[in-house]
C-alpha cells in the first residue's frame, strides 16, 4: 500500500475561550480557515477592524491575550493501513490536540513539524478534531517564572519560547500576537514503511555533479529498496537497518548560478521506496548543482568574508528579508514570487532571512531557486539572550534538525547563520553584568548549531552570528573580520559616515523613510495628516524615529516645512544614504565583498528601512538599489587627497572602454574635460582611475559638478551638499503618450539641471507604477518614463507638485525662491 495523504483543511470553526479583555458578544462558533490565524478569521467575520489601519493594532490587542479553540469534524473509513498519523506542518504555538475527546499530543514550537499516531483513536464514520491554543502571553508568564531574567531588546517573552520573535513587536512591526494552524495538516496512512527523512547532499566534484543521498525509513519487518534518479542517472540499492544511502554522479551537468552570473538549471531528484516491485512511498525535489564555500582567509587587512559559488567569488548585493505579513498564511506562493522578482529586478542577488522571523515555507526557497536568488538563512534567534536550560534546548535541536533537512535540497540556500546580534549584545549591550554568569545562547551558536549543520548539511558553510568576527577573541563587530552591522550611522550620525570604514562584509545597515503616499493614505486617515499626527506617529515604531529622520537631513537637505516636503525629503534622503553607502563599499572590492541593506520588505504599512513597503509598493530606495547594485557600476569616490573614478564589474567578462570626465556648471557649460582611452575592469573586480587634480578642483563648488561616463554608465559628483548648492528652479518640456491599454510614456526634456527627478504616479492612481525614479538630467538631456496605469492620466496632473518632485524643489522652497 502506497502512503496516502488526506488534507484536513475544511469545516473548521473557531471558538473564544476567554482571556484578559475578551470582547463580549462574540459568536459561539466563527468560521475558520486552515491554514490561517485567529486574527484573519476574526477579520473575515467582521468581528475586528483591520489591525493595519490607524490605531487598530491597539484595539485588537485583546486577541493575543485570549485562549482559542479550533474544531472540525471529518469522516474516516478504515482502509486497513497499519499506521495512520496526524501531521501538522505548522502550529502557532502552544496547543493541545484532541481527537474524539482524547488528548493525542501538545505543541510548543511554531517552527517544526509535529506527527502523532492516531490509528487507535480514529473511529469509522465521523471524527471530532480539536486544537486548543493557549495565549502565548499567558505561557510567557509561566516561562518567565521558570527562567531567571535575561536581556531582550524588545518587550515580550520571545526569547523564552520558539515563536516568531517579531510577533511581539519590533522597531518596524506591530504587536500582533497570533495563534492558529498557520500551515496545513493532514492524515497520513501507510503500511510496511515510509520515508521518514530524505537528506540529499548536493555539490560538485570537479566538473561532475554529486548527490549523496541519505534516507531514514520507518518500517516493519519487510525487504525494501530505494530507487534514486536524477538527470538520467538511476541507482537502486537495498535498505538496511531503517536507512538507505546512495551516491549518484552526473557527468558535467549544467550548473545553477546566481542570476547575475548565469542560468538556473534545475534537475528533478526522485526517491522511490519499494517493497519488491511495489511503490510504497516517494519523495521529489528540484535540485541544482553548484558548489559553495565561505572564504575567511587571513590577509593584510584582517580576514576575508567572501561567498564563493562554483569557484567564483560573489560580491553580495543583498537585502534583509523579514516576514512579508504579520499573518503568515496570507503570504502565498504568488506573493513570494512577486516579491523575489522585485528583488531580482533591483539587482539584488541575495536575501538574508532574518533570525527574528521564521524559516519561510518551501514556496519562498522554490521561488529563489528559479530566480537565481541566493539565500542566507538565520537560525531563529534575535536581539536577546536565550536560556540553555529546561525544555528550550530540546525544542531548538528538534527545530534545527527539521529545518536543516527540509531546506538543504534548495540550491539557493548558501549559508547558515547562528543568530542576529546576540553575540554583539553579549559584548556591548551590558548583558554580562545583567546575566551574572547565566546562559545566553553561546552554546547554541558555537556548539549545537555548527554540530548539527556539520552532521546534516556538510556541503554548506555555517557562521555563528551576524555580526561576528569568526572568534570570541575579536570583537564581533570588528570591520576587519567577518560580517559587520553599521547602525551607529542611522542612530547617531549622518550617512556621510558610511565612508569612515571599509567593512569586509556589511550584513546590516539601513536608513528609514515613510512608505509610499498611496500606502500611507490607505492605512492612515488622520485629518490633518502630519508627520506627528496620531496614525502616522503610531506607524513609526523606531525609538525617536521621526527625530532621526529630521536629524539625518541636516547637512544634506533643507528642513521640510510641509507634509508633502517631509514625505519627499525623507524618502529622497533614504535613497541617497543607501546609495552612498553601497557605492563606497563596492568601490573597495575585493576588500569588501558584500552589502546587505536593511531591509527589502515590510510586514505592514509603516515608516521603516524597507525598499518595498507593506502593501508591496516600491519606494525611491528600490530604484536607488537597482542603480547602485547594477553589475556595472561607475562611481566617483574620494581617494587619498583627491578623487578617483571607479569601475566595478560584477560580470564574467571584462569591462573596458574610454572614460570621459567633465567638470561642468549647472547650466551645462563645460569647464574642463579629460578622456582616458582605456579603463579596464577585469571580470568580478574593480578598477580605479585617479582624476587629475585640476579637473577635480572646482572654481565654484556651489555651481559645478563632475560627470564621468563609460559606455552606458554615468557617475555624477557634486562638490557640496544640496543645502549649499545653487540648484536652479527646475525647468523642462514634457510630452505624454498612451502606448498601450494600460501603458503610458512620459518624455521629459530638461531645460535646466534637474536633480533626482521623481514622478509619484501612486498619488494619482494607487496601483500605478513607473519605470524610473531619482533621474538626474543635465540641460538638454531627455528621459522617457514608462508608466503602468489602468486609469486615465493627464499631462497637467503628472507635471504638478506633489506628483512631480526633484531636489531642486526642496532647495528652492527653503530659499523662498520656489514661490
Amino acid at each position: 500500500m502506497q502512503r496516502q495523504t488526506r488534507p484536513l483543511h475544511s469545516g473548521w470553526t473557531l471558538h473564544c475561550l476567554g482571556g484578559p479583555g475578551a470582547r463580549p458578544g462574540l459568536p459561539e462558533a466563527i468560521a475558520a480557515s486552515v491554514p490561517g490565524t485567529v486574527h484573519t478569521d476574526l477579520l473575515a467575520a467582521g468581528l475586528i477592524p483591520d489591525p493595519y489601519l490607524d490605531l487598530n493594532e491597539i484595539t485588537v490587542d485583546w486577541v493575543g491575550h485570549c485562549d482559542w479553540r479550533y474544531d472540525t469534524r471529518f469522516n474516516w473509513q478504515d482502509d486497513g493501513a497499519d499506521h495512520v498519523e496526524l501531521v501538522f506542518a505548522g502550529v502557532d504555538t502552544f496547543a493541545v490536540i484532541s481527537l474524539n475527546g482524547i488528548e493525542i499530543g501538545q505543541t510548543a514550537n511554531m517552527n517544526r513539524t509535529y506527527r502523532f499516531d492516531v490509528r487507535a483513536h480514529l473511529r469509522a464514520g465521523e471524527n471530532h478534531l480539536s486544537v486548543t491554543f493557549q495565549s502565548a502571553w499567558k505561557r510567557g508568564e509561566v516561562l518567565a517564572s521558570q527562567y531567571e531574567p535575561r536581556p531582550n531588546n524588545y518587550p515580550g517573552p520571545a526569547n523564552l519560547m520558539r515563536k516568531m520573535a517579531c510577533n511581539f513587536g519590533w522597531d518596524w512591526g506591530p504587536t500582533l500576537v497570533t495563534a492558529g494552524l498557520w500551515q496545513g495538516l493532514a492524515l497520513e496512512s501507510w503500511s510496511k514503511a515510509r520515508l521518514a527523512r530524505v537528506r540529499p547532499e548536493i555539490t560538485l566534484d570537479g566538473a561532475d555533479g554529486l548527490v549523496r543521498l541519505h534516507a531514514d525509513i520507518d518500517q516493519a519487518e519487510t525487504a525494501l529498496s530505494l530507487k534514486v534518479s536524477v538527470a538520467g542517472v538511476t541507482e537502486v540499492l537495498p535498505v538496511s537497518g531503517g536507512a538507505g544511502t546512495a551516491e549518484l554522479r552526473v557527468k558535467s551537468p549544467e550548473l545553477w548560478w546566481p542570476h547575475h552570473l548565469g542560468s538556473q538549471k534545475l534537475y528533478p531528484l526522485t526517491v522511490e521506496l519499494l517493497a519488491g516491485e511495489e511503490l510504497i512511498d516517494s519523495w521529489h525535489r528540484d535540485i541544482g548543482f553548484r558548489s559553495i564555500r565561505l572564504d575567511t582567509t587571513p590577509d593584510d587587512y584582517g580576514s576575508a568574508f567572501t561567498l564563493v559559488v562554483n569557484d567564483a567569488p560573489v560580491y553580495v548585493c543583498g537585502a534583509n528579508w523579514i516576514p512579508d505579513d504579520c499573518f503568515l498564511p496570507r503570504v502565498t506562493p504568488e506573493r513570494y514570487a512577486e516579491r523575489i522578482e522585485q528583488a531580482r529586478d533591483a539587482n539584488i542577488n541575495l536575501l538574508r532571512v532574518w533570525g527574528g522571523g521564521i524559516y519561510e515555507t518551501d514556496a519562498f526557497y522554490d521561488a529563489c531557486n528559479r530566480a537565481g536568488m541566493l539565500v542566507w538563512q538565520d537560525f531563529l534567534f534575535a536581539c536577546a539572550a536565550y536560556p540553555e536550560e529546561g525544555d528550550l534546548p530540546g525544542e531548538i535541536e528538534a527545530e534545527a534538525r527539521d529545518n536543516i533537512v527540509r531546506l538543504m535540497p534548495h540550491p539557493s540556500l548558501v549559508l547558515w547563520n547562528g543568530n542576529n546580534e546576540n553575540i554583539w549584545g553579549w559584548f556591548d549591550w551590558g548583558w554580562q553584568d545583567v546575566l551574572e554568569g547565566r546562559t545566553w545562547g553561546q552554546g547554541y551558536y558555537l556548539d549545537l548549531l555548527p554540530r548539527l549543520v556539520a552532521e546534516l548539511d556538510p556541503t554548506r558553510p555555517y557562521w555563528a552570528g551576524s555580526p561576528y568576527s569568526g572568534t570570541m577573541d575579536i570583537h564581533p563587530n570588528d570591520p576587519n573580520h567577518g560580517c559587520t552591522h553599521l547602525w551607529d550611522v542611522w542612530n547617531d550620525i549622518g550617512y556621510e559616515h558610511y565612508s569612515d570604514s571599509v567593512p569586509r562584509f556589511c550584513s546590516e545597515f539601513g536608513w528609514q523613510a515613510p512608505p509610499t503616499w498611496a500606502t500611507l493614505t490607505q492605512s492612515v486617515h488622520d485629518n490633518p495628516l502630519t508627520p506627528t499626527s496620531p496614525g502616522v506617529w503610531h506607524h513609526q515604531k523606531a525609538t525617536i524615529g521621526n527625530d532621526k529622520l529630521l536629524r539625518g537631513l541636516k547637512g544634506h537637505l533643507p528642513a521640510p516645512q510641509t507634509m508633502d516636503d517631509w514625505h519627499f525629503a525623507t524618502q529622497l534622503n533614504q535613497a541617497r544614504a543607501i546609495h552612498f553607502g553601497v557605492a563606497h563599499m563596492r568601490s573597495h572590492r575585493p576588500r569588501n565583498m558584500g552589502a546587505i541593506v536593511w531591509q527589502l520588505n515590510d510586514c505592514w504599512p509603516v515608516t521603516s528601512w524597507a525598499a518595498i513597503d507593506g502593501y508591496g509598493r516600491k519606494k525611491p530606495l528600490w530604484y536607488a538599489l537597482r542603480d547602485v547594485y547594477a553589475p556595472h557600476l561607475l562611481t566617483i569616490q574620494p581617494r587619498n587627497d583627491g578623487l578617483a573614478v571607479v569601475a566595478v564589474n560584477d560580470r564574467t567578462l571584462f569591462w573596458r572602454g574610454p572614460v570621459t570626465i567633465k567638470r561642468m556648471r549647472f547650466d551645462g557649460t563645460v569647464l574642463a574635460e579629460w578622456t582616458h582611452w582605456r579603463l579596464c575592469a577585469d571580470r568580478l573586480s574593480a578598477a580605479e582611475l585617479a582624476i587629475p587634480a585640476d579637473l577635480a578642483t572646482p572654481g565654484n563648488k556651489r555651481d559645478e559638478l563632475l560627470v564621468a561616463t563609460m559606455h552606458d554608465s554615468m557617475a555624477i559628483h557634486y562638490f557640496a551638499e544640496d543645502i549649499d548648492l545653487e540648484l536652479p528652479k527646475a525647468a523642462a518640456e514634457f510630452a505624454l503618450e498612451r502606448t498601450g491599454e494600460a501603458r503610458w510614456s512620459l518624455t521629459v526634456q530638461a531645460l535646466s539641471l534637474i536633480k533626482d527627478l521623481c514622478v509619484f504616479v501612486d498619488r494619482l492612481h494607487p496601483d500605478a507604477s513607473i519605470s524610473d525614479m531619482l533621474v538626474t538630467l543635465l540641460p538638454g538631456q531627455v528621459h522617457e518614463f514608462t508608466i503602468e496605469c489602468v486609469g486615465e492620466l493627464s499631462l497637467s496632473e503628472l507635471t504638478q507638485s506633489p506628483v512631480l518632485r526633484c531636489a531642486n524643489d526642496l532647495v528652492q522652497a527653503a530659499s523662498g525662491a520656489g514661490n
Side-chain angles (χ1 to χ4, degrees):
M1 172 183 176
Q2 188 172 353
R3 179 174 59 89
Q4 303 293 318
T5 300
R6 177 188 172 186
L8 296 177
H9 293 168
S10 60
W12 288 89
T13 56
L14 175 67
H15 310 264
C16 183
L17 305 182
R23 292 295 182 263
L26 288 176
E28 181 178 342
I30 302 161
S33 295
V34 172
T37 71
V38 170
H39 285 84
T40 49
D41 290 334
L42 294 174
L43 190 59
L47 297 172
I48 59 171
D50 188 339
Y52 289 4
L53 303 185
D54 301 312
L55 307 185
N56 291 344
E57 174 200 349
I58 300 171
T59 304
V60 304
D61 186 62
W62 62 274
V63 175
H65 289 274
C66 288
D67 297 339
W68 301 87
R69 188 181 75 248
Y70 281 82
D71 287 293
T72 193
R73 296 181 183 275
F74 62 93
N75 289 315
W76 178 79
Q77 298 300 323
D78 192 342
D79 59 2
D82 295 336
H83 301 273
V84 183
E85 295 173 328
L86 187 58
V87 183
F88 292 83
V91 182
D92 179 16
T93 296
F94 300 102
V96 176
I97 300 165
S98 299
L99 180 62
N100 297 323
I102 300 171
E103 180 181 324
I104 60 169
Q106 298 186 16
T107 70
N109 190 332
M110 74 173 288
N111 305 313
R112 55 176 291 204
T113 297
Y114 286 90
R115 181 179 293 268
F116 304 102
D117 187 346
V118 294
R119 183 74 172 81
H121 306 299
L122 287 165
R123 54 195 182 202
E126 187 176 79
N127 290 262
H128 176 212
L129 177 61
S130 176
V131 184
T132 302
F133 288 90
Q134 182 184 30
S135 162
W137 286 114
K138 186 182 298 183
R139 180 62 68 92
E141 293 175 359
V142 174
L143 293 171
S145 69
Q146 296 175 2
Y147 294 111
E148 295 181 89
R150 283 169 171 80
N152 188 346
N153 276 19
Y154 295 91
N159 59 327
L160 307 180
M161 60 181 66
R162 301 312 295 159
K163 177 173 171 61
M164 182 170 74
C166 62
N167 230 195
F168 295 94
W170 220 262
D171 55 7
W172 38 258
T175 301
L176 293 169
V177 179
T178 55
L181 299 167
W182 77 278
Q183 294 196 73
L185 70 150
L187 279 177
E188 287 193 3
S189 304
W190 57 279
S191 296
K192 297 182 182 177
R194 75 173 185 92
L195 292 166
R197 185 173 72 173
V198 177
R199 188 167 58 83
E201 299 172 15
I202 306 155
T203 188
L204 298 177
D205 183 16
D208 295 343
L210 198 63
V211 178
R212 292 189 178 97
L213 187 127
H214 310 266
D216 294 335
I217 298 158
D218 289 341
Q219 69 175 103
E221 293 297 325
T222 187
L224 300 172
S225 61
L226 282 178
K227 182 179 180 181
V228 186
S229 302
V230 63
V233 179
T234 298
E235 293 283 346
V236 179
L237 57 147
V239 170
S240 175
T245 60
E247 182 170 301
L248 283 75
R249 181 176 293 271
V250 178
K251 293 293 184 180
S252 301
E254 292 184 51
L255 300 186
W256 185 96
W257 287 94
H259 65 81
H260 68 299
L261 295 181
S263 62
Q264 292 76 52
K265 177 64 177 178
L266 298 172
Y267 292 90
L269 171 63
T270 301
V271 181
E272 296 178 326
L273 182 62
L274 305 172
E277 297 296 321
E278 180 187 6
L279 175 65
I280 58 176
D281 203 356
S282 63
W283 176 101
H284 69 273
R285 297 289 188 276
D286 287 338
I287 68 168
F289 289 104
R290 56 103 186 97
S291 66
I292 178 69
R293 59 186 172 89
L294 181 64
D295 180 5
T296 58
T297 305
D299 58 24
D300 292 342
Y301 302 110
S303 56
F305 193 92
T306 303
L307 281 171
V308 182
V309 180
N310 300 332
D311 290 328
V314 174
Y315 188 94
V316 168
C317 296
N320 283 272
W321 171 277
I322 67 170
D324 204 51
D325 203 295
C326 297
F327 307 123
L328 299 173
R330 298 206 294 205
V331 188
T332 62
E334 294 76 18
R335 183 159 153 184
Y336 276 129
E338 176 188 3
R339 204 67 73 241
I340 290 162
E341 192 64 25
Q342 287 174 317
R344 175 174 168 152
D345 288 346
N347 292 313
I348 291 166
N349 61 23
L350 179 144
L351 295 174
R352 175 189 167 212
V353 181
W354 167 76
I358 60 170
Y359 306 99
E360 298 290 341
T361 66
D362 281 313
F364 171 85
Y365 305 92
D366 287 338
C368 289
N369 295 343
R370 295 189 299 269
M373 185 67 64
L374 303 174
V375 177
W376 161 324
Q377 177 67 56
D378 281 13
F379 288 100
L380 302 186
F381 305 88
C383 300
Y386 288 75
E388 298 176 43
E389 299 81 33
D391 296 333
L392 206 57
E395 283 292 345
I396 287 167
E397 178 166 353
E399 164 193 315
R401 287 183 176 276
D402 198 345
N403 285 284
I404 292 170
V405 172
R406 177 174 70 91
L407 299 183
M408 63 186 292
H410 295 285
S412 54
L413 178 60
V414 293
L415 180 72
W416 293 104
N417 176 58
N419 73 87
N420 176 76
E421 297 191 341
N422 294 347
I423 297 174
W424 188 17
W426 187 80
F427 269 81
D428 280 2
W429 298 349
W431 288 12
Q432 295 179 45
D433 292 338
V434 175
L435 286 166
E436 297 180 330
R438 293 191 293 275
T439 58
W440 55 277
Q442 179 174 339
Y444 301 136
Y445 318 135
L446 300 185
D447 179 23
L448 176 65
L449 295 175
R451 279 195 290 108
L452 293 178
V453 171
E455 172 193 340
L456 299 171
D457 189 15
T459 68
R460 281 188 182 84
Y462 169 85
W463 195 250
S466 182
Y468 185 58
S469 62
T471 171
M472 295 295 282
D473 296 329
I474 300 174
H475 190 278
N477 215 26
D478 187 327
N480 294 315
H481 301 271
C483 54
T484 299
H485 289 193
L486 289 176
W487 281 116
D488 58 335
V489 176
W490 157 253
N491 284 314
D492 302 315
I493 49 183
Y495 70 72
E496 65 275 11
H497 289 280
Y498 281 130
S499 63
D500 289 352
S501 66
V502 181
R504 305 312 303 267
F505 191 106
C506 190
S507 46
E508 271 194 32
F509 66 108
W511 202 271
Q512 264 204 351
T516 61
W517 188 261
T519 292
L520 180 62
T521 54
Q522 185 177 336
S523 57
V524 175
H525 303 96
D526 298 341
N527 188 14
L529 191 73
T530 74
T532 56
S533 59
V536 177
W537 188 267
H538 185 74
H539 288 243
Q540 162 62 280
K541 295 296 186 178
T543 303
I544 60 170
N546 274 13
D547 293 345
K548 292 176 182 178
L549 285 174
L550 293 179
R551 191 210 68 235
L553 295 173
K554 291 181 179 179
H556 300 284
L557 289 166
Q561 301 301 310
T562 68
M563 180 62 181
D564 287 334
D565 282 357
W566 175 84
H567 187 262
F568 174 53
T570 53
Q571 285 199 331
L572 176 60
N573 210 44
Q574 177 191 41
R576 286 186 178 176
I578 299 306
H579 194 287
F580 177 89
V582 172
H584 161 70
M585 289 184 234
R586 287 191 70 191
S587 78
H588 286 279
R589 180 191 178 122
R591 180 174 175 180
N592 169 271
M593 282 302 290
I596 309 181
V597 68
W598 186 271
Q599 67 219 62
L600 177 71
N601 58 326
D602 271 327
C603 62
W604 77 313
V606 63
T607 295
S608 86
W609 298 264
I612 301 168
D613 71 25
Y615 289 158
R617 298 184 177 105
K618 300 170 185 174
K619 292 158 67 170
L621 173 58
W622 183 91
Y623 299 87
L625 288 175
R626 184 181 64 179
D627 180 69
V628 78
Y629 277 162
H632 286 166
L633 172 68
L634 197 67
T635 179
I636 298 173
Q637 294 289 326
R639 289 293 187 267
N640 301 318
D641 295 326
L643 296 173
V645 61
V646 184
V648 183
N649 179 20
D650 275 309
R651 293 294 193 194
T652 56
L653 297 175
F654 60 77
W655 183 33
R656 70 180 180 184
V659 176
T660 297
I661 304 171
K662 298 178 181 180
R663 179 159 51 86
M664 306 171 63
R665 289 200 186 101
F666 290 171
D667 65 7
T669 302
V670 176
L671 301 172
E673 182 175 352
W674 177 67
T675 296
H676 181 80
W677 292 106
R678 181 168 293 184
L679 177 61
C680 184
D682 201 357
R683 58 185 181 180
L684 307 179
S685 70
E688 291 187 9
L689 176 66
I691 299 175
D694 59 338
L695 188 68
T697 303
N700 177 5
K701 66 180 182 179
R702 294 167 57 86
D703 184 40
E704 295 179 22
L705 51 77
L706 284 180
V707 179
T709 55
M710 179 176 172
H711 297 304
D712 294 332
S713 297
M714 183 172 71
I716 298 177
H717 174 80
Y718 297 89
F719 295 101
E721 295 294 329
D722 284 30
I723 55 170
D724 296 318
L725 293 178
E726 296 173 352
L727 289 177
K729 185 175 181 178
E733 292 180 348
F734 304 92
L736 179 66
E737 179 185 3
R738 185 192 285 272
T739 58
E741 183 177 347
R743 178 167 292 191
W744 305 73
S745 172
L746 176 66
T747 302
V748 181
Q749 181 172 4
L751 303 179
S752 70
L753 170 67
I754 304 177
K755 188 177 183 185
D756 289 321
L757 177 64
C758 298
V759 185
F760 293 105
V761 291
D762 65 291
R763 281 181 172 261
L764 299 176
H765 296 277
D767 296 326
S769 62
I770 193 163
S771 58
D772 305 297
M773 280 198 189
L774 306 169
V775 175
T776 293
L777 297 175
L778 302 173
Q781 285 188 327
V782 177
H783 189 85
E784 182 179 345
F785 296 85
T786 298
I787 300 171
E788 303 286 343
C789 181
V790 174
E792 291 298 316
L793 293 173
S794 72
L795 188 60
S796 60
E797 288 179 315
L798 284 169
T799 55
Q800 296 295 316
S801 178
V803 177
L804 187 78
R805 299 304 308 260
C806 61
N808 308 49
D809 302 343
L810 298 172
V811 174
Q812 290 280 310
S815 67
N819 298 323

